Amino acid sequence: MCLLYFHPRGVQESRAGCKLSALEQLCNLIPQCQIIAAPPLARVLSDWRVNSPAPTPPQEGFSGLIERVTFHSEETGFAVLRVKVKGHRELVTVVGALANVNVGEWIVVQGNWVQDKEHGLQFKANFLKCSPPTSREGIERYLASGLIKGIGPVYAKKLVEKFGEEIFTVIDQYSARLEEVDGIGSGRRQKIKAAWAEQKAVRDIMVFLHSHGVSMSRAVRIYKTYGDKAIETVRTNPYILAKDIHGIGFKSADTVAQKLGIARDSIMRALAGVMHALLEATGEGHCALPKEALIEQATKLLEIDVAIVREALDRLLLDGEIMHEPVGRHDLIYLPYLRRAEDGVAALLRRMAGASSRLPPIDVEKAIDWCQKKTGMNLAATQREALQKALESRVLVITGGPGVGKTTLINSILLILRAKNLRCLLCAPTGRAAKRLSETTGGEAKTIHRLLEFQPASGGFARGATRPLECDVLVADEASMIDVPLMHKLIQALPEHAHLLIVGDVDQLPSVGPGSALADIIRSEVVPAVRLREVFRQAASSRIVTNAHRINAGHMPHLQQPGEESDFYFIERDEPESIQQTILTLVKERIPGKLRLDPILDVQVLCPMNRGNLGARAMNLFLQDGLNPQRGDEPVVERFGWQFRLRDKVIQTENNYDKEVFNGDIGQVAGIDPNERELTIRFDERDVLYDFNELDELSLAYTITIHKSQGSEFPAVVVPMAMQHYLLLQRNLVYTAMTRGRRLVVLVGQRQALAIAVRNDRAAERFSGLYDKLVGTEP
């Protein structure tokens, strides 16, 4: 045994001179040595022995054929593979990170064997490389894996039988020969060739992005956006990804930039950061940001000197990328299109408000009497006033809550106008809202985008000032959902003589997009507006209607008595787990049993927010397992953090004009084709195909946020109310949720949370200049 003794003075000298590494080397050379030392050094050496890393074992390596991909995350690249390796009787489990992987590929790995407590012996690889297979068996499995659209197990077998190991060369260089295989015609052959070329290009992009910190799930979109120049484009300016690619934000683009060596204090990064901060603000409903607030947010985001941020902002202003305008109390910075939209809405509405009616002469009193006889319904005083203003004014706003007769009023106005052979057009912001408007008025209603003939290629509208709509009167319903840019496009497309009726409930949540157009228009008093307040007798018998009005007035809703039948219920639960379980029971059993509804399609859970175990995301996963568990061998698709199953209820999360599907549209998974790598979603009576790589446009919709529910109406609505939603517990949020239910509304949760929401009428401020421009107070 070796004995070593060190004096405390020597310890101090060692620390000062960083000589402890010599002691470490000595202890490594004599691992069984006994250390006799003064307490300070004894502690140092003891700590070192405990915390020093174990010696790294030498790495091993092998190669083999991938028999099964047990798991692969497109977000992180983490994969669990089952590999056939020469010399091993059983398949070897390999874990590691790969940009892309398919059954049948040949894999080369380096790493070490580990004994996992749960899964047993595994090979943990820190290096993995895949290449297309060369054996017939591997090639067939590779082609049958669903890698290439148009080739499933049947065609994979036929192709390998026909062309053997040369099949990849045939697809790549002599694709016409594919038509020699029975069942492959010109269309399928072209699809196979295109898919093969795309997957080769995408693989290169995936490897590049994965090595620079971006999830591989966006590679296909990047390829489709930039084509063969994808890698070159990203190298030149990685921040363009945040601007052009759905699902890639500033932070992801910034990660790529850092790995490419772009300095944190570079002006390129500062420019991107300022633009990102302003774009984020528009996503939160602002049309602009005060200059100092924008500088503060960008500086916080970038964590650089404020002088660089100010320089970037000045450069963006000089280049016209952003615009500056003092409005009201604020020094605002705009994206140019939002400033133009505000200016346009204000100018057009002020001009219309000052113009006289272009309708033919109408005796209003006679028209009202005639209308009441035709419909058998008497109009209230406020409805008569509104009808008269609608016939006399070029533009009118009609607002009011549920049950106050907005639909009856609109139908009466349309009846009179159509009797005069006037051309009336109806529109709403969403497909569901347009469908409801059609049902209640008996006339055709379109989404605003369809009415204005949106052009996907250009991103603009065919209808506008130079090619206006062909109408005498335009009715725009659910106007609380119309943001400032869309309001501008709509008014801009009106012919010179046309009348405009803007209809909506101003007490609901404002639009998801920038601005509070309806509220600003009403508040300005520039445009005539009528507020309907009287709840009609039939509507007054509904607890949904009466309680919605109570909440809107700041009063707690009337709650049902034990055993009392009602269309509104509050079920008190305190613990999140209890709230979750109660909601599942309601949606799955009690509500369908009582009202004979489909638990997936007819009962909608609405959440105040996305986050938390009672947020929309967690509740979606919980309800998916409870309402639609995976069945047997039915195909499933995992993409972008969701697992999609047959029968799942899904919601479109962005406008897709090519598919004519819009943000907020709800559908159901009707088919999954692993071979064609396509998902079929049924929206109402129409089937829409999605490539697997387009599924980031969809999310589960067993639960949606209350914001997403605007403009929609559901047979039954269930809403969790909990203190974990504290930041969003607002009166207009609960009011909006209440007014989404047609036959039944059930609130489940904590009474305190409901009380806080009812008391809180302070909606978050949205920075916008529209009000000031309407009233003419801008400089």
Side-chain angles (χ1 to χ4, degrees):
M1 179 181 289
C2 175
L3 301 179
L4 300 177
Y5 178 82
F6 297 97
H7 192 274
R9 184 175 172 185
V11 173
Q12 293 170 355
E13 290 173 355
S14 295
R15 282 177 175 167
C18 298
K19 301 296 184 183
L20 282 178
S21 60
L23 300 180
E24 294 170 4
Q25 291 175 19
L26 185 57
C27 290
N28 274 335
L29 290 171
I30 318 172
Q32 299 302 318
C33 72
Q34 181 176 344
I35 302 169
I36 303 173
L41 182 59
R43 278 198 303 274
V44 171
L45 291 175
S46 174
D47 290 344
W48 169 76
R49 277 208 185 277
V50 170
N51 297 320
S52 62
T56 304
Q59 291 201 344
E60 300 179 46
F62 56 79
S63 59
L65 184 72
I66 299 175
E67 287 282 329
R68 186 163 72 246
V69 179
T70 304
F71 176 80
H72 180 241
S73 166
E74 292 196 351
E75 300 292 328
T76 65
F78 177 75
V80 180
L81 313 173
R82 298 283 283 163
V83 181
K84 183 190 286 186
V85 180
K86 189 175 181 180
H88 290 258
R89 294 179 61 184
E90 297 183 353
L91 296 179
V92 171
T93 300
V94 176
V95 296
L98 272 169
N100 197 18
V101 63
N102 290 281
V103 169
E105 289 183 314
W106 190 259
I107 190 169
V108 178
V109 301
Q110 287 184 344
N112 300 101
W113 293 97
V114 296
Q115 186 70 34
D116 185 86
K117 289 181 181 178
E118 187 174 344
H119 301 291
L121 188 64
Q122 298 178 338
F123 190 84
K124 189 173 183 180
N126 51 38
F127 171 82
L128 302 95
K129 183 179 179 181
C130 287
S131 58
T134 55
S135 70
R136 282 178 169 248
E137 177 193 7
I139 291 170
E140 185 175 329
R141 295 195 60 128
Y142 183 67
L143 291 174
S145 67
L147 172 74
I148 302 171
K149 265 191 177 185
I151 300 181
V154 173
Y155 282 108
K157 188 176 185 65
K158 288 182 178 182
L159 287 166
V160 173
E161 284 178 353
K162 176 70 176 176
F163 300 110
E165 292 87 347
E166 300 301 313
I167 180 59
F168 298 140
T169 305
V170 171
I171 295 174
D172 207 23
Q173 300 177 24
Y174 311 106
S175 65
R177 291 197 60 198
L178 295 175
E179 295 185 35
E180 297 172 17
V181 175
D182 183 44
I184 296 182
S186 175
R188 185 178 291 274
R189 186 256 300 175
Q190 290 175 12
K191 182 187 283 189
I192 291 171
K193 181 174 175 60
W196 173 257
E198 181 177 293
Q199 77 86 21
K200 281 174 62 180
V202 168
R203 179 183 288 270
D204 291 340
I205 296 168
M206 280 183 170
V207 172
F208 171 77
L209 292 176
H210 185 48
S211 66
H212 290 89
V214 173
S215 64
M216 281 77 66
S217 55
R218 308 298 174 194
V220 172
R221 283 196 180 274
I222 292 171
Y223 172 74
K224 287 182 176 177
T225 303
Y226 305 125
D228 295 336
K229 295 184 178 178
I231 294 176
E232 177 189 339
T233 302
V234 174
R235 284 189 188 278
T236 303
N237 180 9
Y239 293 105
I240 200 170
L241 293 172
K243 179 182 176 184
D244 293 345
I245 308 299
H246 172 71
I248 294 185
F250 174 81
K251 290 185 178 179
S252 296
D254 198 31
T255 301
V256 178
Q258 301 301 305
K259 296 204 172 189
L260 287 171
I262 294 174
R264 289 182 60 79
D265 59 356
S266 70
I267 193 67
M268 177 194 288
R269 183 169 182 265
L271 291 167
V274 172
M275 288 298 292
H276 175 73
L278 197 52
L279 283 166
E280 282 285 290
T282 66
E284 294 168 3
H286 303 291
C287 285
L289 273 186
K291 182 178 179 181
E292 292 305 315
L294 175 58
I295 290 170
E296 181 183 342
Q297 289 187 26
T299 304
K300 184 178 178 181
L301 170 73
L302 295 165
E303 297 179 337
I304 58 174
D305 192 288
V306 68
I308 302 173
V309 174
R310 290 186 181 277
E311 181 188 348
L313 188 140
D314 289 342
R315 187 177 294 191
L316 290 167
L317 286 167
L318 189 64
D319 292 343
E321 294 286 319
I322 58 178
M323 302 180 81
H324 165 250
E325 183 180 9
V327 180
R329 299 177 289 114
H330 298 295
D331 209 18
L332 295 179
I333 302 294
Y334 285 89
L335 292 170
Y337 84 97
L338 284 171
R339 181 180 171 183
R340 287 194 298 270
E342 280 191 354
D343 291 344
V345 170
L348 290 166
L349 285 180
R350 287 172 69 173
R351 190 174 72 193
M352 290 183 71
S356 57
S357 170
R358 298 284 189 89
L359 298 180
I362 297 175
D363 186 320
V364 176
E365 288 302 320
K366 283 186 179 179
I368 291 174
D369 290 342
W370 173 82
C371 181
Q372 290 181 152
K373 287 176 183 175
K374 289 281 287 185
T375 62
M377 300 179 70
N378 291 325
L379 298 179
T382 51
Q383 289 176 311
R384 296 170 72 97
E385 176 195 351
L387 193 150
Q388 182 166 348
K389 284 187 176 181
L391 299 178
E392 295 173 351
S393 308
R394 284 283 301 283
V395 56
L396 176 70
V397 175
I398 299 172
T399 189
V404 296
K406 293 195 298 294
T407 299
T408 300
L409 173 59
I410 297 303
N411 283 335
S412 299
I413 293 170
L414 290 172
L415 186 63
I416 292 170
L417 295 175
R418 286 167 179 160
K420 293 288 185 178
N421 295 318
L422 295 169
R423 297 168 299 174
C424 302
L425 292 179
L426 311 175
C427 67
T430 67
R432 296 175 77 88
K435 186 177 179 183
R436 283 179 57 207
L437 184 59
S438 290
E439 291 168 351
T440 55
T441 62
E444 182 188 15
K446 298 180 179 179
T447 64
I448 296 174
H449 281 82
R450 183 169 290 180
L451 180 75
L452 300 182
E453 298 174 19
F454 183 81
Q455 306 296 297
S458 65
F461 295 97
R463 296 288 184 172
T466 58
R467 186 171 172 253
L469 296 165
E470 296 167 5
C471 68
D472 301 303
V473 179
L474 175 65
V475 178
D477 197 17
E478 294 288 355
S480 63
M481 299 175 62
I482 305 176
D483 59 30
V484 169
L486 192 57
M487 184 69 80
H488 179 223
K489 295 296 183 185
L490 185 64
I491 302 173
Q492 202 175 34
L494 280 172
E496 181 67 28
H497 67 279
H499 282 227
L500 174 63
L501 282 178
I502 302 173
V503 185
D505 187 348
V506 73
D507 295 317
Q508 288 186 23
L509 290 167
S511 59
V512 174
S516 304
L518 180 63
D520 286 343
I521 291 168
I522 293 173
R523 188 162 62 99
S524 73
E525 299 183 354
V526 169
V527 171
V530 174
R531 183 166 193 138
L532 304 177
R533 298 181 184 276
E534 181 183 346
V535 178
F536 287 88
R537 190 183 311 156
Q538 185 177 355
S541 65
S542 164
R543 280 279 178 88
I544 295 174
V545 172
T546 56
N547 279 331
H549 283 279
R550 284 186 61 80
I551 288 170
N552 199 32
H555 305 302
M556 284 288 282
H558 286 305
L559 304 183
Q560 75 284 354
Q561 299 301 313
E564 181 185 7
E565 289 292 317
S566 177
D567 59 0
F568 170 84
Y569 293 90
F570 176 76
I571 300 176
E572 190 163 4
R573 296 287 185 272
D574 287 326
E575 298 303 321
E577 293 76 13
S578 177
I579 295 173
Q580 271 192 341
Q581 195 56 52
T582 300
I583 289 175
L584 176 59
T585 303
L586 285 167
V587 174
K588 187 176 182 179
E589 300 168 10
R590 293 178 61 184
I591 294 175
K594 181 181 177 66
L595 301 180
R596 297 185 180 180
L597 297 176
D598 184 309
I600 292 179
L601 295 180
D602 296 332
V603 186
Q604 186 61 57
V605 179
L606 303 179
C607 286
M609 63 197 303
N610 273 307
R611 296 189 302 274
N613 59 352
L614 291 175
R617 179 165 183 82
M619 287 296 296
N620 261 316
L621 298 175
F622 178 72
L623 291 172
Q624 182 189 40
D625 285 339
L627 298 174
N628 189 30
Q630 189 173 346
R631 302 183 189 179
D633 295 330
E634 284 186 349
V636 298
V637 184
E638 289 198 34
R639 285 292 190 281
F640 308 104
W642 298 109
Q643 184 183 89
F644 296 97
R645 305 168 185 167
L646 288 170
R647 296 170 299 279
D648 272 340
K649 181 161 64 173
V650 296
I651 184 169
Q652 178 78 14
T653 58
E654 61 172 286
N655 292 336
N656 187 319
Y657 303 105
D658 292 324
K659 298 182 188 298
E660 294 190 359
V661 183
F662 302 99
N663 191 353
D665 286 353
I666 293 177
Q668 188 173 30
V669 178
I672 300 173
D673 189 335
N675 293 332
E676 295 294 322
R677 298 173 65 80
E678 289 177 338
L679 203 75
T680 302
I681 308 295
R682 182 159 297 142
F683 292 99
D684 294 325
E685 302 302 319
R686 190 168 66 95
D687 285 351
V688 180
L689 286 178
Y690 287 76
D691 184 274
F692 284 0
N693 293 308
E694 296 176 315
L695 296 182
D696 56 344
E697 296 182 10
L698 297 171
S699 65
L700 295 178
Y702 297 98
T703 300
I704 60 175
T705 62
I706 297 170
H707 274 92
K708 283 283 187 188
S709 73
Q710 285 177 269
S712 298
E713 192 177 67
F714 308 97
V717 162
V718 181
V719 186
M721 296 294 303
M723 291 303 294
Q724 65 175 245
H725 301 142
Y726 184 80
L727 292 176
L728 287 179
L729 291 178
Q730 297 169 354
R731 185 183 300 171
N732 60 356
L733 195 83
V734 182
Y735 174 74
T736 301
M738 286 278 296
T739 55
R740 299 308 91 202
R742 186 164 62 247
R743 296 175 60 187
L744 179 68
V745 172
V746 185
L747 307 184
V748 182
Q750 299 162 344
R751 192 181 295 256
Q752 181 187 5
L754 176 60
I756 288 173
V758 170
R759 288 197 302 267
N760 181 15
D761 65 346
R762 297 186 304 277
E765 180 184 8
R766 290 190 167 194
F767 290 109
S768 166
L770 180 58
Y771 167 79
D772 295 280
K773 293 171 182 178
L774 280 164
V775 299
T777 60
E778 82 281 8

